[in-house]
Amino acid sequence: MNRTFVTLLVAATTLALFGGGCSVEQTGNARSEATTETSGPPSSASGAGASVLADVKPCDLLSPGEAAQLSLPTPGEARKTAGGQSCEWIDANGGVTANVLPARSVEDLDYAGAKATSIKIGKYESSKVEAPNGALDLCHVVISVADSASVQVVGGVKPSSTDTAAACERATKAAELIAPKLP
């Protein structure tokens, strides 16, 4: 596994999860100015979002066959994050990370300056965020499962690549496989 890619992917994901309070406008464009949160954390972990995603295990979101369809290594590697749980399917050619965020919506993630587009993934309203935080080798698809709960699918290509379109294709395909497994 390419340690540089893993380090960059973890750093980009951490920035996206905890970098600030940018909102995605309905038109799909990320606001250029950061907004401040008015009180405490974005959502309560005991709220509706937490209960909606309580039983979702990130590594169950892509079967070995589905991971193979996306040319991803198997099995996925589980990780705990401060905002939820994740699973990574990563090798030297890039990969996918699925972050289950029971108490965070797309509005709670920092996508300042990134190109964001509203899309539909399965039955869910979602946002595709190209090159978050300037990382041209990454693309995020955030599936809005509830008002305060989401699943963030990070697609990545080789860190030396600037092929954001390929990263978005990977993230979108993974999100389309993941969505039917969500509540």
Side-chain angles (χ1 to χ4, degrees):
M1 185 177 314
N2 184 329
R3 286 188 182 269
T4 304
F5 175 75
V6 172
T7 301
L8 287 172
L9 183 60
V10 170
T13 302
T14 301
L15 280 172
L17 289 173
F18 307 108
C22 175
S23 295
V24 175
E25 298 173 2
Q26 289 298 333
T27 61
N29 296 321
R31 292 185 191 163
S32 59
E33 74 279 354
T35 59
T36 56
E37 296 174 24
T38 55
S39 62
S43 305
S44 168
S46 62
S51 62
V52 167
L53 292 175
D55 295 328
V56 175
K57 305 290 184 239
C59 287
D60 292 342
L61 294 175
L62 287 177
S63 70
E66 291 167 332
Q69 283 179 17
L70 299 170
S71 301
L72 300 173
T74 57
E77 189 172 331
R79 301 251 188 241
K80 268 204 175 282
T81 65
Q85 298 179 22
S86 68
C87 190
E88 300 174 342
W89 296 266
I90 299 172
D91 65 15
N93 295 314
V96 168
T97 299
N99 297 304
V100 175
L101 306 171
R104 296 183 76 87
S105 69
V106 68
E107 289 83 13
D108 298 325
L109 304 174
D110 181 15
Y111 289 126
K115 179 181 176 187
T117 308
S118 294
I119 61 173
K120 190 88 163 173
I121 299 290
K123 65 181 182 179
Y124 301 101
E125 295 301 321
S126 304
S127 296
K128 178 175 72 172
V129 183
E130 299 178 35
N133 299 308
L136 299 176
D137 61 321
L138 297 176
C139 184
H140 295 188
V141 173
V142 183
I143 304 168
S144 297
V145 179
D147 287 342
S148 63
S150 62
V151 174
Q152 178 189 51
V153 181
V154 179
V157 293
K158 288 182 182 182
S160 60
S161 175
T162 59
D163 192 353
T164 305
C168 285
E169 182 178 342
R170 179 175 267 176
T172 302
K173 284 181 179 179
E176 289 169 346
L177 293 169
I178 288 170
K181 297 175 183 120
L182 299 175

